Amino acid sequence: MENWERQVARILGVPTTDIMENYYGKNQANALQVNEEQLLTFYDYLRDELAFPFAATYQTNGVSTQTSAITCIKLEPEIQVDVSYGIRIECEKEGEKLILPLTAIIADKKDTNYSPIQLYQTWVQKYK
């Protein structure tokens, strides 16, 4: 289990001991699988960790080379969390309100929000 996976396991309340490896096998995909319950738990973590507002960019049309500058205002209400798009974030771009998946947000590496966002994105990418 990699360090980032241990961090996610702690956030989700999943044991990170050898017992877990024996129970789930070397691939703990079942324990860390992205599902609605796990997303709500991660949402609570992000609600406590993220500092709003913050400047970021986002990937337009899923193309990493095309980005647009935005200001992230707040997380969407947890009742809006869904496995198909994950956790979403409310942002503004030139005065227009946007609701974007957190997986599309690119925070500056120097921003305090960078680590929690990266952790979320890595988890979703690997375990969805």
Side-chain angles (χ1 to χ4, degrees):
M1 183 177 248
E2 294 183 39
N3 187 43
W4 72 266
E5 290 172 306
R6 289 187 196 286
Q7 289 179 280
V8 169
R10 279 189 218 100
I11 291 165
L12 300 177
V14 174
T16 59
T17 64
D18 290 337
I19 295 168
M20 181 180 157
E21 288 186 13
N22 290 335
Y23 183 78
Y24 292 108
K26 293 294 180 192
N27 181 359
Q28 292 94 12
N30 291 338
L32 298 179
Q33 190 67 40
V34 175
N35 60 43
E36 192 168 319
E37 182 181 341
Q38 303 286 51
L39 282 168
L40 289 172
T41 301
F42 215 104
Y43 176 95
D44 289 340
Y45 164 78
L46 291 171
R47 185 184 58 215
D48 294 340
E49 291 295 314
L50 297 179
F52 292 98
F54 65 94
T57 58
Y58 75 100
Q59 297 175 351
T60 55
N61 301 322
V63 179
S64 60
T65 57
Q66 285 185 308
T67 59
S68 292
I70 53 172
T71 300
C72 298
I73 307 299
K74 65 180 181 178
L75 291 174
E76 267 284 281
E78 66 184 274
I79 57 172
Q80 301 295 326
V81 170
D82 184 284
V83 174
S84 60
Y85 54 77
I87 297 170
R88 297 190 306 180
I89 190 166
E90 182 178 320
C91 304
E92 285 184 359
K93 178 184 175 189
E94 300 172 0
E96 181 183 341
K97 179 180 165 183
L98 302 170
I99 305 298
L100 301 168
L102 189 55
T103 54
I105 301 299
I106 305 167
D108 186 287
K109 289 183 180 183
K110 295 176 185 174
D111 192 304
T112 59
N113 295 315
Y114 178 79
S115 292
I117 291 171
Q118 279 297 114
L119 187 61
Y120 169 78
Q121 291 172 341
T122 303
W123 170 60
V124 169
Q125 181 181 19
K126 179 154 183 176
Y127 287 100
K128 187 171 180 185

